mmCIF file of all heavy atoms in Angstrom:
data_model
loop_
_atom_site.group_PDB
_atom_site.id
_atom_site.type_symbol
_atom_site.label_atom_id
_atom_site.label_comp_id
_atom_site.label_asym_id
_atom_site.label_seq_id
_atom_site.Cartn_x
_atom_site.Cartn_y
_atom_site.Cartn_z
ATOM 1 N N ILE V 136 -20.673 7.573 9.779
ATOM 2 C CA ILE V 136 -20.490 8.052 11.151
ATOM 3 C C ILE V 136 -19.402 9.124 11.069
ATOM 4 O O ILE V 136 -18.273 8.831 10.700
ATOM 5 C CB ILE V 136 -20.066 6.881 12.052
ATOM 6 C CG1 ILE V 136 -21.100 5.780 12.040
ATOM 7 C CG2 ILE V 136 -19.879 7.377 13.488
ATOM 8 C CD1 ILE V 136 -20.619 4.463 12.721
ATOM 9 N N ARG V 137 -19.737 10.371 11.441
ATOM 10 C CA ARG V 137 -18.801 11.444 11.099
ATOM 11 C C ARG V 137 -18.865 12.632 12.029
ATOM 12 O O ARG V 137 -19.806 12.845 12.768
ATOM 13 C CB ARG V 137 -19.135 11.952 9.664
ATOM 14 C CG ARG V 137 -20.525 12.530 9.503
ATOM 15 C CD ARG V 137 -20.717 13.047 8.076
ATOM 16 N NE ARG V 137 -22.079 13.511 7.784
ATOM 17 C CZ ARG V 137 -22.512 14.727 8.012
ATOM 18 N NH1 ARG V 137 -21.662 15.655 8.581
ATOM 19 N NH2 ARG V 137 -23.740 15.100 7.687
ATOM 20 N N ASP V 138 -17.759 13.356 11.992
ATOM 21 C CA ASP V 138 -17.684 14.769 12.437
ATOM 22 C C ASP V 138 -17.867 14.984 13.928
ATOM 23 O O ASP V 138 -18.746 15.649 14.342
ATOM 24 C CB ASP V 138 -18.650 15.608 11.649
ATOM 25 C CG ASP V 138 -18.251 15.726 10.169
ATOM 26 O OD1 ASP V 138 -17.036 15.883 9.927
ATOM 27 O OD2 ASP V 138 -19.122 15.701 9.282
ATOM 28 N N THR V 139 -16.884 14.354 14.686
ATOM 29 C CA THR V 139 -16.766 14.870 16.106
ATOM 30 C C THR V 139 -15.406 15.572 16.279
ATOM 31 O O THR V 139 -15.040 15.895 17.381
ATOM 32 C CB THR V 139 -16.788 13.679 17.091
ATOM 33 O OG1 THR V 139 -15.734 12.762 16.795
ATOM 34 C CG2 THR V 139 -18.155 12.959 17.057
ATOM 35 N N ARG V 140 -14.684 15.807 15.222
ATOM 36 C CA ARG V 140 -13.441 16.548 15.261
ATOM 37 C C ARG V 140 -13.689 17.973 15.821
ATOM 38 O O ARG V 140 -14.544 18.674 15.379
ATOM 39 C CB ARG V 140 -12.765 16.624 13.899
ATOM 40 C CG ARG V 140 -11.417 17.332 13.934
ATOM 41 C CD ARG V 140 -10.830 17.310 12.542
ATOM 42 N NE ARG V 140 -10.417 15.990 12.152
ATOM 43 C CZ ARG V 140 -10.008 15.652 10.918
ATOM 44 N NH1 ARG V 140 -10.029 16.584 9.934
ATOM 45 N NH2 ARG V 140 -9.614 14.414 10.642
ATOM 46 N N MET V 141 -12.899 18.331 16.860
ATOM 47 C CA MET V 141 -13.022 19.614 17.539
ATOM 48 C C MET V 141 -12.192 20.696 16.831
ATOM 49 O O MET V 141 -11.148 20.406 16.269
ATOM 50 C CB MET V 141 -12.649 19.459 18.972
ATOM 51 C CG MET V 141 -13.428 18.387 19.734
ATOM 52 S SD MET V 141 -15.192 18.727 19.791
ATOM 53 C CE MET V 141 -15.227 20.180 20.873
ATOM 54 N N SER V 142 -12.689 21.913 16.885
ATOM 55 C CA SER V 142 -11.975 23.009 16.227
ATOM 56 C C SER V 142 -10.841 23.547 17.053
ATOM 57 O O SER V 142 -9.979 24.244 16.523
ATOM 58 C CB SER V 142 -12.995 24.140 15.958
ATOM 59 O OG SER V 142 -13.559 24.603 17.144
ATOM 60 N N ASP V 143 -10.814 23.251 18.369
ATOM 61 C CA ASP V 143 -9.719 23.771 19.179
ATOM 62 C C ASP V 143 -8.451 22.943 18.990
ATOM 63 O O ASP V 143 -8.485 21.901 18.246
ATOM 64 C CB ASP V 143 -10.118 23.865 20.637
ATOM 65 C CG ASP V 143 -10.552 22.501 21.230
ATOM 66 O OD1 ASP V 143 -10.663 21.547 20.446
ATOM 67 O OD2 ASP V 143 -10.743 22.388 22.455
ATOM 68 N N ASP V 144 -7.371 23.304 19.576
ATOM 69 C CA ASP V 144 -6.091 22.671 19.356
ATOM 70 C C ASP V 144 -5.984 21.384 20.131
ATOM 71 O O ASP V 144 -5.771 21.342 21.316
ATOM 72 C CB ASP V 144 -4.953 23.607 19.769
ATOM 73 C CG ASP V 144 -3.580 23.076 19.421
ATOM 74 O OD1 ASP V 144 -3.507 22.186 18.574
ATOM 75 O OD2 ASP V 144 -2.570 23.581 19.971
ATOM 76 N N ASP V 145 -6.216 20.258 19.460
ATOM 77 C CA ASP V 145 -6.084 18.957 20.027
ATOM 78 C C ASP V 145 -5.389 17.997 19.083
ATOM 79 O O ASP V 145 -6.024 17.072 18.554
ATOM 80 C CB ASP V 145 -7.499 18.435 20.419
ATOM 81 C CG ASP V 145 -7.469 17.097 21.188
ATOM 82 O OD1 ASP V 145 -6.446 16.779 21.802
ATOM 83 O OD2 ASP V 145 -8.473 16.391 21.140
ATOM 84 N N PRO V 146 -4.136 18.234 18.743
ATOM 85 C CA PRO V 146 -3.466 17.520 17.652
ATOM 86 C C PRO V 146 -3.380 16.046 17.877
ATOM 87 O O PRO V 146 -3.324 15.241 16.938
ATOM 88 C CB PRO V 146 -2.087 18.183 17.585
ATOM 89 C CG PRO V 146 -1.877 18.787 18.906
ATOM 90 C CD PRO V 146 -3.249 19.212 19.381
ATOM 91 N N GLY V 147 -3.315 15.598 19.113
ATOM 92 C CA GLY V 147 -3.208 14.170 19.427
ATOM 93 C C GLY V 147 -4.564 13.485 19.654
ATOM 94 O O GLY V 147 -4.559 12.282 19.981
ATOM 95 N N ASP V 148 -5.652 14.182 19.508
ATOM 96 C CA ASP V 148 -6.972 13.630 19.757
ATOM 97 C C ASP V 148 -7.066 13.083 21.191
ATOM 98 O O ASP V 148 -7.667 12.034 21.389
ATOM 99 C CB ASP V 148 -7.353 12.590 18.739
ATOM 100 C CG ASP V 148 -7.644 13.141 17.375
ATOM 101 O OD1 ASP V 148 -7.776 14.384 17.270
ATOM 102 O OD2 ASP V 148 -7.801 12.393 16.426
ATOM 103 N N ASP V 149 -6.463 13.743 22.133
ATOM 104 C CA ASP V 149 -6.440 13.249 23.485
ATOM 105 C C ASP V 149 -7.424 13.996 24.425
ATOM 106 O O ASP V 149 -7.727 13.521 25.492
ATOM 107 C CB ASP V 149 -5.045 13.379 24.112
ATOM 108 C CG ASP V 149 -3.994 12.551 23.340
ATOM 109 O OD1 ASP V 149 -4.329 11.423 22.976
ATOM 110 O OD2 ASP V 149 -2.888 13.051 23.084
ATOM 111 N N GLY V 150 -7.912 15.126 23.987
ATOM 112 C CA GLY V 150 -8.767 15.912 24.839
ATOM 113 C C GLY V 150 -10.211 15.508 24.850
ATOM 114 O O GLY V 150 -10.952 15.798 25.805
ATOM 115 N N TYR V 151 -10.627 14.771 23.799
ATOM 116 C CA TYR V 151 -12.042 14.354 23.736
ATOM 117 C C TYR V 151 -12.104 12.915 23.273
ATOM 118 O O TYR V 151 -11.536 12.554 22.257
ATOM 119 C CB TYR V 151 -12.758 15.253 22.673
ATOM 120 C CG TYR V 151 -12.629 16.729 22.960
ATOM 121 C CD1 TYR V 151 -11.639 17.466 22.403
ATOM 122 C CD2 TYR V 151 -13.578 17.355 23.790
ATOM 123 C CE1 TYR V 151 -11.534 18.834 22.640
ATOM 124 C CE2 TYR V 151 -13.445 18.712 24.051
ATOM 125 C CZ TYR V 151 -12.396 19.443 23.465
ATOM 126 O OH TYR V 151 -12.292 20.808 23.706
ATOM 127 N N ASP V 152 -12.762 12.076 24.001
ATOM 128 C CA ASP V 152 -12.872 10.637 23.691
ATOM 129 C C ASP V 152 -14.133 10.422 22.875
ATOM 130 O O ASP V 152 -15.089 9.828 23.306
ATOM 131 C CB ASP V 152 -12.898 9.826 24.980
ATOM 132 C CG ASP V 152 -12.835 8.327 24.676
ATOM 133 O OD1 ASP V 152 -12.460 7.958 23.545
ATOM 134 O OD2 ASP V 152 -13.169 7.524 25.586
ATOM 135 N N TYR V 153 -14.119 10.908 21.608
ATOM 136 C CA TYR V 153 -15.275 10.820 20.731
ATOM 137 C C TYR V 153 -14.946 9.831 19.601
ATOM 138 O O TYR V 153 -14.432 10.257 18.525
ATOM 139 C CB TYR V 153 -15.577 12.210 20.134
ATOM 140 C CG TYR V 153 -15.991 13.286 21.113
ATOM 141 C CD1 TYR V 153 -15.896 14.603 20.788
ATOM 142 C CD2 TYR V 153 -16.511 12.943 22.398
ATOM 143 C CE1 TYR V 153 -16.295 15.599 21.690
ATOM 144 C CE2 TYR V 153 -16.900 13.912 23.255
ATOM 145 C CZ TYR V 153 -16.782 15.273 22.920
ATOM 146 O OH TYR V 153 -17.180 16.237 23.794
ATOM 147 N N ASP V 154 -15.142 8.572 19.859
ATOM 148 C CA ASP V 154 -14.875 7.529 18.874
ATOM 149 C C ASP V 154 -16.048 7.329 17.911
ATOM 150 O O ASP V 154 -17.194 7.674 18.236
ATOM 151 C CB ASP V 154 -14.607 6.178 19.578
ATOM 152 C CG ASP V 154 -13.360 6.269 20.496
ATOM 153 O OD1 ASP V 154 -12.319 6.651 20.030
ATOM 154 O OD2 ASP V 154 -13.514 5.849 21.661
ATOM 155 N N GLY V 155 -15.718 6.760 16.736
ATOM 156 C CA GLY V 155 -16.814 6.312 15.847
ATOM 157 C C GLY V 155 -17.497 5.080 16.412
ATOM 158 O O GLY V 155 -18.720 5.123 16.654
ATOM 159 N N ILE V 156 -16.715 4.008 16.630
ATOM 160 C CA ILE V 156 -17.249 2.781 17.267
ATOM 161 C C ILE V 156 -16.182 2.315 18.224
ATOM 162 O O ILE V 156 -15.052 2.071 17.859
ATOM 163 C CB ILE V 156 -17.509 1.654 16.236
ATOM 164 C CG1 ILE V 156 -18.553 2.120 15.217
ATOM 165 C CG2 ILE V 156 -17.999 0.405 16.959
ATOM 166 C CD1 ILE V 156 -18.745 1.134 14.067
ATOM 167 N N GLN V 157 -16.529 2.222 19.512
ATOM 168 C CA GLN V 157 -15.628 1.694 20.529
ATOM 169 C C GLN V 157 -16.252 0.439 21.109
ATOM 170 O O GLN V 157 -17.432 0.355 21.379
ATOM 171 C CB GLN V 157 -15.448 2.710 21.678
ATOM 172 C CG GLN V 157 -14.570 2.200 22.791
ATOM 173 C CD GLN V 157 -14.294 3.266 23.874
ATOM 174 O OE1 GLN V 157 -13.979 4.383 23.566
ATOM 175 N NE2 GLN V 157 -14.516 2.876 25.133
ATOM 176 N N MET V 158 -15.382 -0.581 21.292
ATOM 177 C CA MET V 158 -15.829 -1.841 21.847
ATOM 178 C C MET V 158 -14.924 -2.257 22.980
ATOM 179 O O MET V 158 -13.681 -2.287 22.837
ATOM 180 C CB MET V 158 -15.745 -2.933 20.765
ATOM 181 C CG MET V 158 -16.656 -2.703 19.573
ATOM 182 S SD MET V 158 -16.248 -3.707 18.129
ATOM 183 C CE MET V 158 -14.823 -2.726 17.463
ATOM 184 N N ASP V 159 -15.503 -2.530 24.138
ATOM 185 C CA ASP V 159 -14.771 -3.047 25.316
ATOM 186 C C ASP V 159 -15.359 -4.403 25.705
ATOM 187 O O ASP V 159 -16.538 -4.480 26.087
ATOM 188 C CB ASP V 159 -14.894 -2.069 26.508
ATOM 189 C CG ASP V 159 -14.061 -0.858 26.396
ATOM 190 O OD1 ASP V 159 -13.343 -0.702 25.346
ATOM 191 O OD2 ASP V 159 -14.092 -0.008 27.297
ATOM 192 N N GLY V 160 -14.561 -5.454 25.581
ATOM 193 C CA GLY V 160 -15.013 -6.766 25.976
ATOM 194 C C GLY V 160 -16.247 -7.281 25.207
ATOM 195 O O GLY V 160 -17.024 -8.053 25.763
ATOM 196 N N ALA V 161 -16.383 -6.882 23.988
ATOM 197 C CA ALA V 161 -17.503 -7.338 23.160
ATOM 198 C C ALA V 161 -17.204 -8.631 22.494
ATOM 199 O O ALA V 161 -16.037 -9.020 22.332
ATOM 200 C CB ALA V 161 -17.881 -6.284 22.159
ATOM 201 N N ASP V 162 -18.262 -9.320 22.057
ATOM 202 C CA ASP V 162 -18.094 -10.632 21.439
ATOM 203 C C ASP V 162 -19.103 -10.798 20.297
ATOM 204 O O ASP V 162 -20.286 -10.424 20.429
ATOM 205 C CB ASP V 162 -18.333 -11.731 22.492
ATOM 206 C CG ASP V 162 -18.170 -13.141 21.949
ATOM 207 O OD1 ASP V 162 -17.400 -13.328 20.990
ATOM 208 O OD2 ASP V 162 -18.802 -14.081 22.456
ATOM 209 N N HIS V 163 -18.642 -11.312 19.169
ATOM 210 C CA HIS V 163 -19.448 -11.486 17.983
ATOM 211 C C HIS V 163 -20.051 -10.147 17.481
ATOM 212 O O HIS V 163 -21.231 -9.849 17.772
ATOM 213 C CB HIS V 163 -20.577 -12.508 18.202
ATOM 214 C CG HIS V 163 -20.093 -13.917 18.131
ATOM 215 N ND1 HIS V 163 -19.650 -14.616 19.238
ATOM 216 C CD2 HIS V 163 -19.896 -14.759 17.050
ATOM 217 C CE1 HIS V 163 -19.248 -15.828 18.877
ATOM 218 N NE2 HIS V 163 -19.373 -15.939 17.565
ATOM 219 N N VAL V 164 -19.217 -9.408 16.770
ATOM 220 C CA VAL V 164 -19.562 -8.093 16.227
ATOM 221 C C VAL V 164 -19.172 -8.056 14.800
ATOM 222 O O VAL V 164 -18.103 -8.508 14.394
ATOM 223 C CB VAL V 164 -18.859 -6.983 17.029
ATOM 224 C CG1 VAL V 164 -19.189 -5.608 16.404
ATOM 225 C CG2 VAL V 164 -19.197 -7.008 18.493
ATOM 226 N N TRP V 165 -20.084 -7.534 13.965
ATOM 227 C CA TRP V 165 -19.799 -7.362 12.526
ATOM 228 C C TRP V 165 -19.995 -5.871 12.206
ATOM 229 O O TRP V 165 -21.076 -5.342 12.315
ATOM 230 C CB TRP V 165 -20.749 -8.211 11.709
ATOM 231 C CG TRP V 165 -20.524 -8.182 10.236
ATOM 232 C CD1 TRP V 165 -19.368 -7.904 9.577
ATOM 233 C CD2 TRP V 165 -21.464 -8.467 9.212
ATOM 234 N NE1 TRP V 165 -19.495 -8.007 8.212
ATOM 235 C CE2 TRP V 165 -20.801 -8.346 7.925
ATOM 236 C CE3 TRP V 165 -22.806 -8.797 9.206
ATOM 237 C CZ2 TRP V 165 -21.474 -8.565 6.739
ATOM 238 C CZ3 TRP V 165 -23.457 -9.033 8.027
ATOM 239 C CH2 TRP V 165 -22.778 -8.907 6.775
ATOM 240 N N ILE V 166 -18.892 -5.239 11.757
ATOM 241 C CA ILE V 166 -18.889 -3.824 11.338
ATOM 242 C C ILE V 166 -18.612 -3.817 9.857
ATOM 243 O O ILE V 166 -17.533 -4.175 9.406
ATOM 244 C CB ILE V 166 -17.806 -3.058 12.109
ATOM 245 C CG1 ILE V 166 -18.070 -3.100 13.613
ATOM 246 C CG2 ILE V 166 -17.731 -1.618 11.603
ATOM 247 C CD1 ILE V 166 -16.951 -2.498 14.421
ATOM 248 N N ASP V 167 -19.636 -3.373 9.047
ATOM 249 C CA ASP V 167 -19.597 -3.676 7.618
ATOM 250 C C ASP V 167 -20.156 -2.506 6.824
ATOM 251 O O ASP V 167 -21.231 -1.955 7.160
ATOM 252 C CB ASP V 167 -20.426 -4.940 7.350
ATOM 253 C CG ASP V 167 -20.491 -5.298 5.890
ATOM 254 O OD1 ASP V 167 -19.428 -5.680 5.330
ATOM 255 O OD2 ASP V 167 -21.568 -5.215 5.334
ATOM 256 N N HIS V 168 -19.498 -2.122 5.737
ATOM 257 C CA HIS V 168 -19.960 -1.169 4.757
ATOM 258 C C HIS V 168 -20.299 0.196 5.366
ATOM 259 O O HIS V 168 -21.233 0.889 4.932
ATOM 260 C CB HIS V 168 -21.209 -1.714 3.983
ATOM 261 C CG HIS V 168 -20.816 -2.619 2.847
ATOM 262 N ND1 HIS V 168 -20.811 -3.996 2.958
ATOM 263 C CD2 HIS V 168 -20.418 -2.354 1.591
ATOM 264 C CE1 HIS V 168 -20.462 -4.524 1.806
ATOM 265 N NE2 HIS V 168 -20.203 -3.540 0.966
ATOM 266 N N ASN V 169 -19.501 0.595 6.350
ATOM 267 C CA ASN V 169 -19.655 1.925 6.935
ATOM 268 C C ASN V 169 -18.631 2.905 6.364
ATOM 269 O O ASN V 169 -17.561 2.513 5.866
ATOM 270 C CB ASN V 169 -19.577 1.902 8.436
ATOM 271 C CG ASN V 169 -20.559 0.968 9.064
ATOM 272 O OD1 ASN V 169 -21.758 1.271 9.135
ATOM 273 N ND2 ASN V 169 -20.080 -0.174 9.542
ATOM 274 N N ARG V 170 -18.931 4.200 6.439
ATOM 275 C CA ARG V 170 -17.924 5.247 6.208
ATOM 276 C C ARG V 170 -17.791 5.977 7.580
ATOM 277 O O ARG V 170 -18.721 6.515 8.113
ATOM 278 C CB ARG V 170 -18.408 6.210 5.169
ATOM 279 C CG ARG V 170 -17.471 7.431 4.961
ATOM 280 C CD ARG V 170 -18.073 8.465 4.049
ATOM 281 N NE ARG V 170 -18.219 7.977 2.709
ATOM 282 C CZ ARG V 170 -17.295 8.075 1.781
ATOM 283 N NH1 ARG V 170 -16.107 8.633 2.051
ATOM 284 N NH2 ARG V 170 -17.515 7.606 0.515
ATOM 285 N N ILE V 171 -16.587 5.941 8.129
ATOM 286 C CA ILE V 171 -16.309 6.612 9.401
ATOM 287 C C ILE V 171 -15.205 7.613 9.185
ATOM 288 O O ILE V 171 -14.075 7.254 8.764
ATOM 289 C CB ILE V 171 -15.920 5.549 10.457
ATOM 290 C CG1 ILE V 171 -16.926 4.413 10.527
ATOM 291 C CG2 ILE V 171 -15.792 6.203 11.860
ATOM 292 C CD1 ILE V 171 -16.576 3.286 11.478
ATOM 293 N N GLU V 172 -15.468 8.878 9.477
ATOM 294 C CA GLU V 172 -14.517 9.913 9.111
ATOM 295 C C GLU V 172 -14.608 11.144 10.059
ATOM 296 O O GLU V 172 -15.679 11.422 10.630
ATOM 297 C CB GLU V 172 -14.745 10.357 7.658
ATOM 298 C CG GLU V 172 -16.101 10.887 7.383
ATOM 299 C CD GLU V 172 -16.408 11.050 5.884
ATOM 300 O OE1 GLU V 172 -15.563 10.662 5.084
ATOM 301 O OE2 GLU V 172 -17.476 11.573 5.555
ATOM 302 N N ARG V 173 -13.467 11.782 10.204
ATOM 303 C CA ARG V 173 -13.380 13.042 10.925
ATOM 304 C C ARG V 173 -13.879 12.917 12.402
ATOM 305 O O ARG V 173 -14.628 13.762 12.842
ATOM 306 C CB ARG V 173 -14.086 14.169 10.192
ATOM 307 C CG ARG V 173 -13.449 14.465 8.815
ATOM 308 C CD ARG V 173 -14.121 15.679 8.164
ATOM 309 N NE ARG V 173 -15.540 15.508 7.947
ATOM 310 C CZ ARG V 173 -16.051 14.901 6.885
ATOM 311 N NH1 ARG V 173 -15.273 14.424 5.919
ATOM 312 N NH2 ARG V 173 -17.379 14.789 6.762
ATOM 313 N N MET V 174 -13.437 11.917 13.063
ATOM 314 C CA MET V 174 -13.754 11.753 14.482
ATOM 315 C C MET V 174 -12.593 12.223 15.318
ATOM 316 O O MET V 174 -11.433 12.182 14.886
ATOM 317 C CB MET V 174 -14.055 10.271 14.806
ATOM 318 C CG MET V 174 -15.126 9.655 13.935
ATOM 319 S SD MET V 174 -16.684 10.495 13.988
ATOM 320 C CE MET V 174 -17.365 9.964 15.576
ATOM 321 N N ASN V 175 -12.872 12.708 16.526
ATOM 322 C CA ASN V 175 -11.821 13.338 17.311
ATOM 323 C C ASN V 175 -10.984 12.363 18.087
ATOM 324 O O ASN V 175 -9.961 12.745 18.716
ATOM 325 C CB ASN V 175 -12.415 14.377 18.270
ATOM 326 C CG ASN V 175 -11.372 15.438 18.645
ATOM 327 O OD1 ASN V 175 -11.161 16.378 17.915
ATOM 328 N ND2 ASN V 175 -10.696 15.236 19.787
ATOM 329 N N ASP V 176 -11.300 11.073 18.144
ATOM 330 C CA ASP V 176 -10.420 10.089 18.739
ATOM 331 C C ASP V 176 -10.335 8.961 17.725
ATOM 332 O O ASP V 176 -10.044 9.214 16.533
ATOM 333 C CB ASP V 176 -10.954 9.623 20.072
ATOM 334 C CG ASP V 176 -9.861 8.911 20.897
ATOM 335 O OD1 ASP V 176 -8.690 9.260 20.798
ATOM 336 O OD2 ASP V 176 -10.235 7.923 21.555
ATOM 337 N N GLY V 177 -10.510 7.714 18.081
ATOM 338 C CA GLY V 177 -10.390 6.615 17.139
ATOM 339 C C GLY V 177 -11.594 6.518 16.219
ATOM 340 O O GLY V 177 -12.741 6.718 16.654
ATOM 341 N N LEU V 178 -11.346 6.186 14.986
ATOM 342 C CA LEU V 178 -12.469 5.870 14.098
ATOM 343 C C LEU V 178 -13.100 4.553 14.560
ATOM 344 O O LEU V 178 -14.317 4.441 14.676
ATOM 345 C CB LEU V 178 -12.012 5.779 12.664
ATOM 346 C CG LEU V 178 -11.332 7.014 12.083
ATOM 347 C CD1 LEU V 178 -10.910 6.836 10.650
ATOM 348 C CD2 LEU V 178 -12.179 8.245 12.239
ATOM 349 N N ILE V 179 -12.238 3.554 14.839
ATOM 350 C CA ILE V 179 -12.710 2.268 15.510
ATOM 351 C C ILE V 179 -11.705 1.993 16.597
ATOM 352 O O ILE V 179 -10.482 2.045 16.350
ATOM 353 C CB ILE V 179 -12.811 1.124 14.541
ATOM 354 C CG1 ILE V 179 -13.807 1.415 13.396
ATOM 355 C CG2 ILE V 179 -13.183 -0.163 15.267
ATOM 356 C CD1 ILE V 179 -13.889 0.312 12.355
ATOM 357 N N ASP V 180 -12.144 1.617 17.758
ATOM 358 C CA ASP V 180 -11.324 1.077 18.844
ATOM 359 C C ASP V 180 -11.900 -0.268 19.264
ATOM 360 O O ASP V 180 -13.077 -0.356 19.677
ATOM 361 C CB ASP V 180 -11.282 1.991 20.046
ATOM 362 C CG ASP V 180 -10.276 3.114 19.924
ATOM 363 O OD1 ASP V 180 -9.514 3.108 18.953
ATOM 364 O OD2 ASP V 180 -10.273 4.019 20.751
ATOM 365 N N SER V 181 -11.096 -1.337 19.180
ATOM 366 C CA SER V 181 -11.477 -2.676 19.644
ATOM 367 C C SER V 181 -10.593 -2.988 20.852
ATOM 368 O O SER V 181 -9.410 -3.246 20.729
ATOM 369 C CB SER V 181 -11.233 -3.693 18.554
ATOM 370 O OG SER V 181 -11.560 -4.991 19.016
ATOM 371 N N ARG V 182 -11.205 -2.961 22.036
ATOM 372 C CA ARG V 182 -10.430 -2.947 23.282
ATOM 373 C C ARG V 182 -10.834 -4.117 24.188
ATOM 374 O O ARG V 182 -11.893 -4.718 24.006
ATOM 375 C CB ARG V 182 -10.676 -1.611 24.050
ATOM 376 C CG ARG V 182 -10.336 -0.400 23.264
ATOM 377 C CD ARG V 182 -11.055 0.860 23.772
ATOM 378 N NE ARG V 182 -11.294 0.918 25.196
ATOM 379 C CZ ARG V 182 -10.740 1.799 26.032
ATOM 380 N NH1 ARG V 182 -9.943 2.725 25.610
ATOM 381 N NH2 ARG V 182 -11.074 1.786 27.316
ATOM 382 N N GLU V 183 -9.923 -4.395 25.133
ATOM 383 C CA GLU V 183 -10.208 -5.262 26.277
ATOM 384 C C GLU V 183 -10.820 -6.616 25.813
ATOM 385 O O GLU V 183 -11.894 -7.003 26.298
ATOM 386 C CB GLU V 183 -11.099 -4.523 27.288
ATOM 387 C CG GLU V 183 -10.465 -3.279 27.828
ATOM 388 C CD GLU V 183 -11.336 -2.515 28.822
ATOM 389 O OE1 GLU V 183 -12.433 -3.040 29.122
ATOM 390 O OE2 GLU V 183 -10.933 -1.441 29.240
#
Side-chain angles (χ1 to χ4, degrees):
I136 304 170
R137 62 178 175 87
D138 291 320
T139 61
R140 182 178 289 170
M141 302 298 291
S142 59
D143 59 351
D144 186 18
D145 186 22
D148 288 349
D149 298 319
Y151 306 92
D152 187 17
Y153 297 159
D154 297 308
I156 301 173
Q157 177 176 313
M158 298 163 281
D159 284 0
D162 181 28
H163 282 92
V164 178
W165 185 24
I166 300 171
D167 178 68
H168 277 98
N169 302 288
R170 176 188 293 271
I171 309 176
E172 58 191 5
R173 297 186 300 274
M174 306 302 285
N175 204 83
D176 195 36
L178 303 181
I179 299 176
D180 277 352
S181 177
R182 302 158 32 118
E183 299 179 6

